[in-house]
Amino acid sequence: MIDKFQIEICAGSLSDLLTADQFDEVDRVEFNSALELGGLTPSYGSFLQAREKSKKRIICMVRPRGAGFVYSETEKNTMFRDAQLFLDAGADGIVFGFLNPDHTVDEETTAKMVSLIHGYGKEAVFHKAFDETPDPIQAVQTLINLGVQRILTSGQKENVMAGIDLLTKLQKDYGSRIEILPGGGVKADNIVSLLDTTGCMQFHMSAKQMKHDSGSYPAVSADNIRKVLVNLQAALHQENTLTREDQDMLKNDSFENIDWNDEDERP
């Protein structure tokens, strides 16, 4: 944790998780496979190794395929079995999403998953299936009523900066009742602006760069994590050392504005 902010790294493999594990400032890892498909259920064997090697909080994805969040009964049963295996083996939470054919929240199945997770005393997290719901206000209210602790969202847009207005509204109106976790395009050049604007207290990032074997694949980059931490720590240091009058002056003085684009992530 840096000051009051929580940092979650989206890991697509055991190697990604171990990269994130190098940083004390990282609070937790969302553990997946196949990030190129938006994140799928990791293998049980990889999770067992992750749990043995890392002391960080690990939130496991249960998602049996790409291409949406409307599942058959067989797929749902698989997700529940995977979730129980991970929880039995020491997962700190499960991230999931169930939608009806009209893309509203599948309340019945979500309630069952929340009940399973809470039975272990762990965290129930609704992922970016939220961004496909037709009415985000109705969806957030439904998830609060169902006992979900956290929503991962890019504000129903292609990335967090495009969705910043909705993220800000969700945090302002509902942040005291459910955690709003911005995710999708969070990186060094927008993290300070994102958190200053939305008021959110945590963020989710893959910090990825492309690596090459016989083909290309995304992988967590220690250098990209480091860039985010440096920018966030610098901004917090400035906030903690300047008076409120000084901070307001800097925000209004274009000469003093920091150009965060110098720290762009590049593959």
Side-chain angles (χ1 to χ4, degrees):
M1 179 180 290
I2 298 180
D3 194 17
K4 55 192 175 181
F5 299 109
Q6 295 185 53
I7 302 167
E8 176 178 284
I9 297 297
C10 179
S13 66
L14 179 60
S15 177
D16 283 352
L17 182 143
L18 295 177
T19 299
D21 206 55
Q22 301 171 27
F23 295 88
D24 292 339
E25 299 90 342
V26 171
D27 297 275
R28 62 178 181 261
V29 175
E30 182 194 274
F31 196 39
N32 304 257
S33 66
L35 289 186
E36 67 275 13
L37 298 178
L40 303 181
T41 306
S43 75
Y44 184 58
S46 66
F47 173 73
L48 291 179
Q49 291 188 80
R51 187 71 288 170
E52 290 170 0
K53 294 176 181 293
S54 176
K55 293 183 179 179
K56 293 199 182 295
R57 291 160 58 202
I58 302 176
I59 310 298
C60 277
M61 173 70 76
V62 289
R63 186 178 177 221
R65 58 166 169 80
F69 311 101
V70 181
Y71 298 113
S72 68
E73 287 304 311
T74 298
E75 289 170 327
K76 290 177 183 179
N77 289 338
T78 298
M79 294 169 75
F80 276 91
R81 294 189 72 172
D82 283 335
Q84 187 161 8
L85 284 171
F86 292 139
L87 292 164
D88 282 336
D92 295 290
I94 300 295
V95 56
F96 64 94
F98 297 105
L99 300 182
N100 295 312
D102 64 357
H103 286 198
T104 58
V105 174
D106 179 344
E107 295 186 44
E108 180 180 358
T109 312
T110 299
K112 289 179 181 177
M113 182 63 82
V114 171
S115 179
L116 171 65
I117 297 165
H118 286 180
Y120 286 81
K122 304 301 183 180
E123 293 183 315
V125 183
F126 202 87
H127 59 45
K128 290 179 72 176
F130 174 86
D131 287 342
E132 293 195 6
T133 59
D135 184 340
I137 304 307
Q138 181 183 55
V140 71
Q141 292 172 344
T142 296
L143 294 172
I144 289 170
N145 291 336
L146 292 172
V148 170
Q149 273 108 337
R150 184 161 58 250
I151 300 172
L152 172 62
T153 173
S154 58
Q156 296 207 322
K157 300 293 184 179
E158 64 273 14
N159 60 62
V160 288
M161 296 310 292
I164 200 166
D165 289 344
L166 179 58
L167 290 170
T168 303
K169 178 176 177 56
L170 291 174
Q171 178 65 26
K172 179 175 181 288
D173 294 347
Y174 301 100
S176 63
R177 301 167 63 192
I178 193 167
E179 297 174 26
I180 305 302
L181 175 62
V186 176
K187 53 185 179 178
D189 68 356
N190 63 24
I191 182 61
V192 176
S193 174
L194 174 67
L195 294 180
D196 281 349
T197 301
T198 65
C200 292
M201 306 300 290
Q202 54 186 302
F203 66 93
H204 166 105
M205 57 180 287
S206 63
K208 64 181 180 291
Q209 67 178 18
M210 297 307 294
K211 291 193 174 182
H212 305 280
D213 191 352
S214 296
S216 299
Y217 65 97
V220 170
S221 162
D223 189 49
N224 287 343
I225 296 176
R226 194 172 294 109
K227 288 177 182 178
V228 168
L229 298 178
V230 167
N231 283 1
L232 187 55
Q233 288 169 329
L236 293 174
H237 176 72
Q238 182 182 60
E239 179 179 324
N240 290 334
T241 56
L242 296 179
T243 65
R244 175 54 60 185
E245 290 78 11
D246 288 338
Q247 292 177 47
D248 291 341
M249 180 187 72
L250 286 174
K251 288 179 181 178
N252 294 324
D253 189 341
S254 60
F255 181 76
E256 295 288 351
N257 283 343
I258 297 172
D259 182 5
W260 296 107
N261 289 323
D262 288 345
E263 298 296 332
D264 269 341
E265 291 182 14
R266 289 179 174 85

